[in-house]
Amino acid sequence: MPELVHNLVGTAQNPIAIVWHRRDLRIDDHPALSAAIAQVGDRGKVVGLFIFDPDILDDGVTEGSKVDFMLGCLRELQANYRRLGSDLLFMLGQPVPSICALAQAMQATHVFFNQDVEPFAIKRDRSATDSLQSLGIKVQSFVDIGLIAPDAIATQAGEPYKVYTPFWRNWQSKPKPQPFDAPQKITGLDTYANLPTIALPSLRDLKFINDIQLPKTGEAAALDLLNQFCDRNGILRYQPERDFPAHAGTSTLSPHLRFGTVGIRRVWTAAIAAQQRVRSEEEAISVTTWQQELAWREFYQHVLFYFPELETGAYRPQMRQFPWDDDAEKFEAWCEGRTGYPIVDAAMRQLNQTGWMHNRCRMIVASFLTKDLIINWQSGERYFMQKLLDGDLAANNGGWQWSASSGMDPKPLRIFNPASQARKYDPEGEYILRWLPELQGLTTAELLSSNIPPHQCQRRGYPLPIVDHNIQQQRFKKLYQDCKLSS
């Protein structure tokens, strides 16, 4: 079982602290930065650090759009450090030897960072902590990615939760920490000469390109989105509007939560404040529903923390040997939005052109890939991680395993019918036509039926359905039952 990195607090006459940023590209509501400033005191100095890890940049999954978004966040973060009197430094290389080299070069006495739950990050942070401590440097880490640490919540039997609903009941009953105020001053070094650092690289320097238009990046944009959603009452309409992809019914904060340009305590506090403005049962349900979505995010973090093997395989034993078809041509059609199912193709085009997809559509396309095309969920999981600006291992893996009937869902055999999903959540075909403009002129019934007449498809250059949903869902059910019986 993995362990969180434990806190070690030290002091020095003239301390110099490094705050190691990873998925926390902000200064507001930042536990590690706040602690660093408080602990080094008036005589101490604090600098920020971000390390570009070549193993992550060259992992075959990371694409230019995500790197470009991150660079925009880092530019703003560096500007904020400089505005307050310090600097954000950059390095390119393996994280552990890099941070040790910098700490020695600047004679740092402390390193502060916020914890992560991903298996790679836990291993990295443990190694960094051991190496820094061996140099006599004090290391302190903090819970930040979620409101409650994974080792602070458990079942009555002391076990980690495997089902969301009881997790939610326990999680929502626990007190939540208050946000940390943004610092007003950060005292930096007198000189930054002779340090093994680099200037903030460009996208080209990192050998990436980006061909999509990004949303606004950085902390100011994140706080603005949060304020728009919570203070202007979008959260009070969340429940009735969140499932309709043609409407702006969600917060669109997910890329900012992924890169940590907004603190989760700040987000939770905004949701609590919105409760004070509730004037109807529907509005109260809307706020609770959004809070439940934050809890889903945290549930998947806890699951990955306790079951790191989920990164590479199914939770349900019977699904580890499932006979997926894995048809390469059908997978390519799914990726490119050429399945002949309009709601699926519209969603995939939204993903490819914007780096984001509405959550209802994520469930639809994931079900279609696994239950209609009978293609391994891990192929879809990887593609999402390539394309999504908010691509996050815990949430992405959890969502895909839920859709593929391989995860912790107590009712695992769920199959979405694309046509009925379209009729229910895009009843006028607005979303479909936004992303599939070649289908203009079809009747709404044709758009939503997933059975466009062949002559209409030919005229518009739109593909016929590549599979029959009714046949494929029966195939999947049979394969699933056979695996269940043989396990």
Side-chain angles (χ1 to χ4, degrees), residues 76-98:
E76 183 181 302
L77 181 60
Q78 185 178 56
N80 283 334
Y81 262 93
R82 290 175 172 177
R83 174 175 56 84
L84 296 175
S86 184
D87 207 347
L88 176 66
L89 307 179
F90 301 100
M91 303 182 78
L92 173 62
Q94 297 297 325
V96 175
S98 294

Side-chain angles (χ1 to χ4, degrees), residues 26 73 266:
R26 65 185 187 278
C73 299
R266 186 71 64 199

Side-chain angles (χ1 to χ4, degrees), residues 149-163:
D151 55 4
I153 185 170
T155 67
Q156 290 185 344
E159 298 292 327
Y161 282 98
K162 302 175 185 177
V163 178

Side-chain angles (χ1 to χ4, degrees), residues 319-337:
M319 295 302 292
R320 295 170 192 163
Q321 304 300 322
F322 191 86
W324 301 104
D325 283 355
D326 286 341
D327 185 302
E329 290 186 4
K330 288 186 173 66
F331 179 66
E332 184 177 0
W334 177 84
C335 291
E336 296 177 357

